């Protein structure tokens, strides 16, 4: 403990001499924050709220109901695709995203399977190295009958583990609570707090939501379809209300930004994506499907993927599309932008207000991720600066170290002391670099440039990575001066002036 | 030079006291500088509990090398040192460090205080290494600083103290863990004669009042008046043993 304290004291005592080394670490930290932020799609940007709600960075659709470039330009290959309003409604709300398709249905190559076996898709998608995880998106159509009439709803299963670990969907719960692990399989639901904005019946926390779930039938081709004539009532307890804030507008400048308006910002209008979805735990949805006569495993119309590095998501999409030619693959970011071009999907507001300039895809794509190499390089350079500095500092303190050894310090304790010093300088530099980026973020927010600020928005994960890198590099590189200090010959050092 | 040459009569340097606290047995230390030079050559030595021994001799005679061997700061090429029943040859570096922190106190020519720590913190340091409880070590450090006459200057940094005061802090630090033996290497080599006298008297006082064993390497005769024995070294060997004025 004494030597930890001595290392810490020495670091602070010599901080002016170690300033250059700390500065190097600070620069390395700043580069790392930006690299990590970009790879994560920077939390404030890259359609983060859309991805959070959809539950994936990339979506695979059973068939080609998503519009590809040919359809946007009207160059449909004759006979290759048909638009079909499905009797077995797959319930994909993502048709709402589309600039042209506003009804539930699908545009698919003739004869292609309209639903997918999630396990088979997962196996094939995971062959792509950019894919971190695959999650089926389970959904069931449902009707809500009220005195005012019948409303089309959609039961959507949430993967609670994924929500907890990646998307933190609980942050979007504005009343009541998010699902707990014990809710898996129970008849509990979350509904959109702003449902009334799109003409749907409002719900309160603690109320009971009564829905009609159609019977699942199987056609001669083995494909399921939904029989509304034989719908069964289902009762769900509403445990919470959520919202999906997607974009906001600076009313003074007219600029539109992604995500949630910074707290306390004046003169803004927040837009929300409101859907008829009723969220239930995935296990609950599978149980409802089975109770309605469905056979497990439940086929799905959509599969969501989480990728390792969002900076390269479009590359992953291209490779996945080659890997899965019978399905449609699109990134959530691109899908959101396509929707945004048409002033959608925030239906509660006037579409024209949100209409933005066209989205151009990347002109070219770099296939290699230089992020980790860049981070390694800058940390390597910073560590070498730190080693050079420590060697000088340790040489200047030879006598002091010799005294410590003479009065009983062990070699490993001297080693610890110098490593703590290296660690302290590194961490001080890293924290300074991190704070520098945060300061730039704050300046950008204050000067109404939150689009830039988003690049620096960091998470605990980023800070964790920084600390890990600083500790790893400083301990590894600091071993050289620490070892030299530990091996010091006492009498030689003490007898020289 | 062979270590076997010019040996003292058996027992001459070991005859002082019945119960030696520190013994050197056929101790040899050599350096290779084109040829093998024996800095310490077949030294046999026994120092009794409470004894005050001065080692003297011309520069290069091996006094400081002997002291570093006795203090476990260096390893002999042959022979052994036994401190309070512990044979150095049986200890690794960590074991020797443990011995240094609990059983040996060092005093150096250039004081060698940690310059960014106060006088009190310098004295506390070896006790922190030894794991002595905070309250206990604080009491002892203050008591020692009072004994060396620096009670009022305990919070001063070494650079705010005179040479003599720094050496007194170094003495207090050496005594902090109540060592079996204090090894001093030219403790007055950097002090004027008046201050040297004061340091000499301080050594004698701790030796007389606390029974502290001292081995002092010094050219200065200031310690002879307080010594039980004076060992004369030449070419790595103890060539003569005189009775000190207290011997």
């Amino acid at each position: 403990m004494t030597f930890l304290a001595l290392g810490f004291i020495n670091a602070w005592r010599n901080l002016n001499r170690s300033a250059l080394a700390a500065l190097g670490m600070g620069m390395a930290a700043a580069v790392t924050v930006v690299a990590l932020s970009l790879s994560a799609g920077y939390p404030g940007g890259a359609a983060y709220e859309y991805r959070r709600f959809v539950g994936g960075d990339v979506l695979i659709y059973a068939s080609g109901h998503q519009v590809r470039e040919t359809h946007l330009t009207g160059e449909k290959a004759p006979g290759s695709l048909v638009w079909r309003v499905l009797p077995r409604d797959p319930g994909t709300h993502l048709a709402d995203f589309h600039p042209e398709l506003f009804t539930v249905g699908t545009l698919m190559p003739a004869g292609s399977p309209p639903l997918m076996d999630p396990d088979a898709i997962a196996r094939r998608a995971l062959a792509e190295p950019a894919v971190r995880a695959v999650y089926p998106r389970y959904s069931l159509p449902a009707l809500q009958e009220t005195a005012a009439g019948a409303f089309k709803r959609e039961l959507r299963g949430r993967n609670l583990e994924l929500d907890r670990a990646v998307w933190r969907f609980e942050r979007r719960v504005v009343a009541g609570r998010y699902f707990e692990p014990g809710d898996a399989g129970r008849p509990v639901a979350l509904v959109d707090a702003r449902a009334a904005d799109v003409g749907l019946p409002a719900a309160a926390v603690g109320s009971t939501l009564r829905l009609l779930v159609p019977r699942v039938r199987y056609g001669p081709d083995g494909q399921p379809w939904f029989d509304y004539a034989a719908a069964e009532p289902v009762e769900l307890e509403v445990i919470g209300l959520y919202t999906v804030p997607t974009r906001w507008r600076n009313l003074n400048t007219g600029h539109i930004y992604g995500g949630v308006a910074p707290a306390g910002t004046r003169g803004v209008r927040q837009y929300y994506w409101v859907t008829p979805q009723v969220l239930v735990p995935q296990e609950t949805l599978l149980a409802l499907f089975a109770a309605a006569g469905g056979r497990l495993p439940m086929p799905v119309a959509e599969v969501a993927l989480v990728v390792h590095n969002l900076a390269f998501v479009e590359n992953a999409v291209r490779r996945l599309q080659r890997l899965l030619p019978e399905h449609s693959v699109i990134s959530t970011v691109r899908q959101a932008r396509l929707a945004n071009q048409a002033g959608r999907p925030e239906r509660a507001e006037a579409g024209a207000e949100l209409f933005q300039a066209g989205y151009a895809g990347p002109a070219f794509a770099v296939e290699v991720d230089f992020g980790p190499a860049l981070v390694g390089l800058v940390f390597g350079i910073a560590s070498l600066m730190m080693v050079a500095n420590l060697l000088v500092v340790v040489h200047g303190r030879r006598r002091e170290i010799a005294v410590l050894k003479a009065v009983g310090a062990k070699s490993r304790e001297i080693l610890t002391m110098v490593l703590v010093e290296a660690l302290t300088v590194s961490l001080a530099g890293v924290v300074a670099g991190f704070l520098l980026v945060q300061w730039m973020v704050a300046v950008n927010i204050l000067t109404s440039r939150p689009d830039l600020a988003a690049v620096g928005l960091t998470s605990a994960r980023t800070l964790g990575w920084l600390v890990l890198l600083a500790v790893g590099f400083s301990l590894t590189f600091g071993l050289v001066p620490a070892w030299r200090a530990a091996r010091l010959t006492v009498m030689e050092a003490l007898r020289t002036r | 030079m062979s270590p076997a040459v010019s040996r003292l009569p058996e027992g001459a340097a070991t005859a002082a006291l019945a119960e030696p606290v520190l013994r050197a047995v056929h101790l040899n230390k050599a350096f290779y500088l084109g040829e093998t030079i024996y800095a310490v050559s077949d030294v046999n030595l026994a120092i009794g509990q409470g004894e005050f021994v001065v080692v003297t001799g011309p520069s290069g005679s091996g006094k400081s090398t002997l002291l570093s061997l006795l203090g476990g700061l260096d390893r002999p090429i042959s022979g052994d040192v036994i401190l309070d029943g512990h044979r150095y040859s049986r200890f690794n570096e960590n074991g020797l460090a443990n011995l240094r922190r609990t059983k040996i106190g060092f005093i150096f020519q250039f004081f060698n205080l940690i310059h960014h720590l106060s006088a009190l913190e310098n004295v506390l340091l070896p006790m922190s290494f030894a794991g002595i409880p905070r309250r206990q070590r604080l009491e002892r450090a203050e008591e020692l600083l009072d004994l060396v006459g620096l009670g009022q200057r305990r919070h001063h940094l070494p650079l705010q103290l005179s040479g003599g005061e720094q050496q007194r802090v170094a003495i207090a630090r050496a005594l902090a863990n109540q060592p079996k033996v204090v090894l001093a290497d030219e403790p007055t080599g950097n002090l004027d004669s008046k201050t040297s006298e004061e340091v000499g008297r301080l050594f004698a006082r701790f030796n007389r009042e606390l029974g502290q064993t001292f081995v002092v390497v010094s050219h200065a005769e200031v310690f002879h008046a307080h010594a039980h024995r004076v060992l004369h070294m030449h070419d790595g060997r103890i060539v003569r043993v005189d009775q000190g004025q207290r011997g």
Side-chain angles (χ1 to χ4, degrees):
Chain A
M1 202 62 192
T2 303
F3 291 91
L4 294 179
L6 278 175
F8 188 70
I9 290 167
N10 285 337
W12 284 113
R13 191 163 59 88
N14 293 302
L15 203 54
N16 56 340
R17 290 185 212 167
S18 308
L20 201 62
L23 185 70
M25 278 291 169
M27 295 307 291
V31 169
T32 307
V33 170
V34 173
L36 286 173
S37 181
L38 285 174
S39 78
Y42 43 93
Y48 185 74
E49 294 299 336
Y50 298 91
R51 285 158 54 219
R52 191 207 291 265
F53 185 52
V54 167
D57 302 322
V58 174
L59 287 165
I60 299 175
Y61 292 98
S63 56
H65 84 267
Q66 284 302 308
V67 171
R68 295 176 180 160
E69 302 299 331
T70 51
H71 305 112
L72 285 173
T73 54
E75 295 170 9
K76 296 187 179 93
S80 62
L81 296 165
V82 289
W83 167 248
R84 193 190 294 171
V85 177
L86 294 168
R88 46 184 176 279
D89 181 355
T92 170
H93 65 282
L94 280 154
D96 293 340
F97 263 120
H98 202 276
E100 293 176 4
L101 309 176
F102 301 122
T103 55
V104 178
T106 186
L107 187 66
M108 62 172 66
S112 66
L115 295 175
M116 301 176 284
D117 173 1
D119 294 337
I121 288 289
R123 276 195 299 275
R124 293 169 67 193
L126 283 170
E128 163 55 42
V131 175
R132 195 168 96 195
V134 180
Y135 300 96
R137 303 192 71 229
Y138 296 108
S139 68
L140 271 176
L143 288 173
Q144 184 180 5
E145 288 186 334
T146 68
F151 296 89
K152 192 165 163 34
R153 304 302 294 256
E154 181 195 347
L155 285 161
R156 179 68 80 165
R158 294 293 304 192
N159 184 320
L160 306 190
E161 191 183 334
L162 179 69
D163 274 350
R164 259 197 312 278
V166 179
W167 302 115
R168 313 296 305 271
F169 193 75
E170 73 276 9
R171 293 182 182 181
R172 290 293 160 257
V173 173
V174 293
R177 63 171 177 87
Y178 183 69
F179 300 118
E180 289 165 356
D183 290 329
R186 288 187 57 230
V188 289
L190 298 175
V191 295
D192 198 315
R194 306 179 71 92
D197 293 356
V198 291
L200 291 168
V205 175
S207 65
T208 301
L209 184 65
R210 291 181 181 80
L211 298 175
L212 289 170
V213 176
R215 196 80 191 153
V216 182
R217 311 277 188 201
Y218 288 85
D221 58 355
Q223 289 289 321
W225 61 280
F226 298 107
D227 182 358
Y228 285 89
E232 297 282 343
V234 166
E235 290 193 349
L236 300 168
E237 181 196 351
V238 177
I239 60 164
L241 305 178
Y242 68 89
T243 60
V244 185
T246 50
R247 291 185 282 169
W248 60 279
R249 181 189 186 87
N250 183 325
L251 295 175
N252 297 321
T253 64
H255 292 148
I256 293 168
Y257 305 103
V260 185
T265 314
R266 289 182 179 179
V268 300
R269 181 178 297 163
Q270 181 70 55
Y271 300 111
Y272 297 88
W273 180 14
V274 186
T275 74
Q277 289 188 20
V278 174
L279 307 183
V280 294
Q282 184 172 288
E283 295 78 3
T284 303
L285 189 118
L286 290 171
L288 288 172
F289 176 73
R295 292 198 291 261
L296 298 174
M298 183 181 178
V300 291
E302 303 161 24
V303 167
L305 311 180
V306 177
V307 297
H308 289 293
N309 188 338
L310 204 74
F312 295 88
V313 70
E314 296 303 341
N315 299 352
V317 165
R318 257 201 316 282
R319 289 194 294 269
L320 281 164
Q321 187 63 80
R322 282 200 292 272
L323 208 63
L324 306 163
E326 73 276 27
H327 301 301
S328 284
V329 185
I330 191 166
S331 71
T332 314
V333 180
R334 179 159 164 70
Q335 203 168 34
R337 291 202 180 191
L338 282 168
N340 292 170
Q341 281 176 14
R344 300 173 68 81
E346 299 89 338
R347 295 194 295 192
E349 278 72 35
E353 193 174 81
L354 287 167
F355 199 88
Q356 282 196 311
Y359 165 76
F364 69 96
V366 180
E367 291 285 343
V368 183
D369 180 6
F370 289 108
L374 188 66
V375 167
L377 184 71
V378 291
F379 261 100
I381 292 170
S383 300
L384 286 175
M385 286 166 69
M386 190 196 66
V387 169
N389 170 71
L390 264 184
L391 282 172
V392 172
V393 167
V394 164
H395 186 80
R397 286 216 306 270
R398 288 172 76 237
R399 177 180 290 271
E400 183 181 316
I401 292 166
V403 170
L404 293 177
K405 290 189 86 170
V407 297
K410 297 171 184 172
S411 292
R412 69 161 186 268
E413 289 166 338
I414 299 292
L415 194 86
T416 305
M417 184 183 77
V418 178
L419 284 179
V420 166
E421 187 169 349
L423 198 60
T424 308
V425 171
S426 297
L427 286 176
V430 157
V431 169
F434 180 78
L435 292 177
L436 178 74
V437 174
Q438 299 312 300
W439 174 75
M440 290 193 293
V441 167
V443 168
N444 274 310
I445 288 173
L446 291 172
T447 55
S448 297
R449 297 294 305 278
D451 47 341
L452 273 180
V455 178
L457 280 176
T458 46
S459 58
R461 178 174 160 266
T462 305
L463 191 57
W465 265 110
L466 281 183
V467 170
L468 199 68
L469 284 167
V471 169
F473 273 90
S474 56
L475 290 187
T476 307
F477 282 73
L479 271 178
V480 178
W483 181 251
R484 281 200 176 191
R487 302 300 300 167
L488 191 76
T489 309
V490 178
M491 288 312 288
E492 190 184 312
L494 289 183
R495 287 179 65 81
T496 51
R497 205 36 164 141
Chain B
M1 193 181 299
S2 161
V5 177
S6 187
R7 197 181 281 173
L8 268 181
E10 196 68 42
T14 59
L17 293 171
E19 283 186 28
V21 67
L22 178 65
R23 287 177 61 202
V25 183
H26 298 299
L27 209 55
N28 287 291
K29 178 72 183 177
F31 301 99
Y32 186 77
L33 299 167
E35 59 174 322
T36 305
I37 306 290
Y38 278 84
V40 171
S41 177
D42 196 35
V43 167
N44 288 286
L45 178 66
I47 292 164
Q49 176 71 52
E51 197 178 6
F52 194 127
V53 175
V54 173
V55 182
T56 190
S59 289
S61 59
K63 309 183 295 292
S64 293
T65 306
L66 174 64
L67 204 74
S68 69
L69 293 173
L70 294 177
L73 295 172
D74 207 352
R75 293 272 193 185
I77 58 167
S78 65
D80 208 347
V81 178
I82 304 157
L83 171 63
D84 197 26
H86 300 285
R87 284 181 173 273
Y88 287 9
S89 58
R90 292 183 183 167
F91 288 96
N92 60 14
E93 288 303 317
N94 281 343
L96 286 179
N98 273 333
L99 272 186
R100 284 200 297 274
R101 70 172 58 166
T102 53
K103 294 186 183 295
I104 304 172
F106 282 100
I107 299 167
F108 302 100
Q109 178 178 356
F110 298 116
F111 326 130
N112 289 327
L113 300 176
I114 307 288
H115 66 84
H116 60 87
L117 299 182
S118 68
L120 183 69
E121 289 165 336
N122 267 284
V123 180
L124 284 169
L125 205 58
M127 290 188 277
S128 306
F129 293 180
I132 293 171
R134 184 176 168 73
R135 180 183 291 272
Q136 201 177 324
R137 64 181 187 242
L138 200 64
E139 282 174 8
R140 171 133 182 99
E142 286 176 347
E143 182 189 339
L144 282 167
L145 284 171
D146 284 339
L147 282 174
V148 297
L150 290 173
Q152 300 301 314
R153 312 205 68 185
R154 67 185 65 161
H155 296 299
H156 285 62
L157 292 172
L159 291 177
Q160 296 168 322
L161 302 173
S162 69
E165 287 171 330
Q166 286 188 54
Q167 196 60 302
R168 280 191 273 160
V169 175
I171 292 167
R173 183 180 66 186
L175 295 169
N177 283 333
Q178 295 169 291
K180 284 287 172 188
V181 61
V182 170
L183 305 175
D185 188 10
E186 300 285 5
T188 57
N190 212 31
L191 301 175
D192 58 46
S193 56
K194 183 168 175 274
T195 315
S196 297
E197 291 284 352
E198 284 174 12
V199 168
R201 282 197 292 275
L202 208 51
F203 275 38
R205 184 177 150 210
F206 283 121
N207 176 248
R208 263 197 307 270
E209 294 178 8
L210 304 177
Q212 180 64 57
T213 310
F214 280 94
V215 179
V216 182
V217 165
S218 179
H219 286 103
E221 294 197 356
V222 65
F223 293 105
H224 292 199
H226 310 295
H228 294 107
R229 280 187 296 161
V230 179
L231 311 182
H232 296 268
M233 285 192 77
H234 190 77
D235 287 343
R237 286 164 289 136
I238 297 174
V239 293
R240 201 174 82 227
V241 178
D242 290 339
Q243 288 282 313
Q245 293 181 22
R246 287 174 60 210

